[in-house]
Amino acid sequence: MSNEPHHTTAEPESEPLRVTRRTALRGAGLASLLAMGTGSARAQRTVLNADTHQSQKETTEPLPSWNDGQAKQAILTFVEAVTTPDSPDFVPPAERIATFDNDGTLWVERPVYAQLAFAIDRIRELAPQHPEWEDEQPFKAVLENDLETLAAASQSEVAELLAVTHAGITTDEFEAIVTDWLNTARHPRFDRRYTELAYQPMLELLSFLRANEFKTFIVSGGGVEFMRQMSEATYGIPPEQVVGSTGKTRYEVRDGEPVLVKLPEVDFVDDEAGKPIGIHKFIGRQPIAAFGNYVGDREMLEWTDAGDGPRLLLLVNHDDAEREYAYSMDEDLTGETSDESSQPFIDVAEEKGWVVASMKDDWEYVFPFEQAES
């Protein structure tokens, strides 16, 4: 299979584009044209139609917070190939599905997931009503401030924790609680609201894809009801395009009004192998682009890569301790790896030809406030 991106006419037997680091380098000429604003008419329209998550620089340059390099070139090469009508890799707009992990891919996930920080605050608030929690884990760990135990919690365990602690309230009541927390809680290191800690380069990427008629989805192990309260305002992704772990609910009529009541049970865990299942179940189309940052995203990227036609697979590598955090794609929140005998995920990604974006080298800015203060 040739790794050359196609821009004109293809031979009948030519195979679809798979954007790798090699094809990205060969697409450098296209990237230079786009950066100067002299690319195709389609590329110029992309810039002019971008939504509010893009920076002012993006009126003349797509993805301005991405440094020139293999990762940025891979994105531009892929988008040009699938959106140019006479390209053999052209993909109709209805099939341009891009899926994004949330924690660590779109916003900060250290020292703990935002949803875990929310759960901790809620347990402390509700503890006077539940004296039994003093002797039950993981509630005991929260009340004793045992961060090591809490940091070992997986996304699915956090979802279960929230299901148990919020049983009996309506979905509307839960949404109001989440919204209030997101408006007031501050990150312990950056002293900013969590919604201010979305990654500027990824916000630009989301906008760039949507301007090129992609439909962008979150596919995350986090609780779907938690993420839906912030996804549209933060990422421009509406709640119906968020796929996540879900708890069970029950229909009731309270005070003459129909409501949905949260039950103390997990319904679906959208993590690891659950991600492609969730995509199939709730989206109904196989993505042509998928983005993640850790080994739990492997199945989503593999399933996307297995589809017919052009594909873009990209992983964010957290290697910038100064501006954010530095940790491997295999570590949990405690710094432990899930399976020390297995091959490092970053090596797996590079062997498969997936794009690995270095936070340190590929991103000029990490957070929007850095750009505003520069």
Side-chain angles (χ1 to χ4, degrees), residues 272 295 330-332 336-342:
E272 300 179 347
V295 69
D330 305 283
E331 292 180 21
D332 63 21
E336 298 294 325
T337 57
S338 56
D339 184 358
E340 294 183 357
S341 64
S342 64

Side-chain angles (χ1 to χ4, degrees), residues 20 86-87 91 132 148 151 159 176 191 239 242 249 259 268 330 341 371:
T20 67
D86 60 354
S87 165
V91 176
E132 70 278 10
E148 183 175 352
D191 193 30
V242 177
T249 55
V259 295
F268 175 72
D330 305 283
S341 64
Q371 187 179 49

Side-chain angles (χ1 to χ4, degrees), residues 186-343:
R186 315 285 287 193
H187 188 275
R189 172 180 171 182
F190 298 105
D191 193 30
R192 290 179 179 271
R193 290 181 292 113
Y194 285 85
T195 50
E196 296 179 77
L197 300 176
Y199 302 134
Q200 177 64 26
M202 299 305 284
L203 296 178
E204 293 168 3
L205 176 57
L206 287 166
S207 297
F208 181 63
L209 291 175
R210 287 192 291 263
N212 279 279
E213 299 182 87
F214 278 75
K215 199 168 186 179
T216 54
F217 290 82
I218 291 175
V219 178
S220 170
V224 70
E225 291 176 280
F226 180 88
M227 294 184 290
R228 283 174 175 169
Q229 301 317 302
M230 48 73 65
S231 64
E232 191 156 30
T234 305
Y235 307 132
I237 298 177
E240 65 271 19
Q241 289 170 216
V242 177
V243 179
S245 299
T246 57
K248 291 185 178 181
T249 55
R250 180 177 61 228
Y251 175 86
E252 291 184 7
V253 176
R254 292 185 175 180
D255 298 324
E257 295 292 332
V259 295
L260 294 177
V261 178
K262 294 177 68 63
L263 302 178
E265 302 173 64
V266 174
D267 182 46
F268 175 72
V269 177
D270 188 60
D271 204 16
E272 300 179 347
K275 290 195 173 189
I277 294 171
I279 292 169
H280 176 74
K281 185 175 183 178
F282 299 109
I283 299 175
R285 284 187 188 271
Q286 198 164 6
I288 66 170
F291 305 85
N293 79 292
Y294 86 120
V295 69
D297 298 316
R298 177 172 182 163
E299 290 86 348
M300 177 173 72
L301 271 69
E302 286 180 336
W303 191 64
T304 300
D305 200 16
D308 296 329
R311 291 293 187 270
L312 173 64
L313 298 310
L314 186 147
L315 289 164
V316 175
N317 185 21
H318 292 262
D319 57 358
D320 194 335
E322 181 178 348
R323 295 188 298 174
E324 201 239 16
Y325 295 94
Y327 52 94
S328 84
M329 297 181 182
D330 305 283
E331 292 180 21
D332 63 21
L333 296 179
T334 67
E336 298 294 325
T337 57
S338 56
D339 184 358
E340 294 183 357
S341 64
S342 64
Q343 183 181 16

Side-chain angles (χ1 to χ4, degrees), residues 27-105:
L30 169 63
S32 298
L33 288 173
L34 289 172
M36 292 185 294
T38 56
S40 68
R42 176 65 189 166
Q44 293 179 32
R45 287 198 302 273
T46 296
V47 173
L48 294 175
N49 292 336
D51 67 24
T52 55
H53 288 294
Q54 293 172 295
S55 72
Q56 293 179 352
K57 284 174 60 180
E58 203 158 355
T59 58
T60 57
E61 176 190 353
L63 308 179
S65 295
W66 291 76
N67 294 323
D68 290 336
Q70 297 173 6
K72 181 175 182 177
Q73 290 162 9
I75 297 167
L76 297 176
T77 299
F78 173 77
V79 172
E80 177 73 3
V82 300
T83 60
T84 300
D86 60 354
S87 165
D89 291 307
F90 176 76
V91 176
E95 299 175 16
R96 295 178 200 163
I97 303 297
T99 56
F100 291 78
D101 170 55
N102 185 40
D103 295 291
T105 300

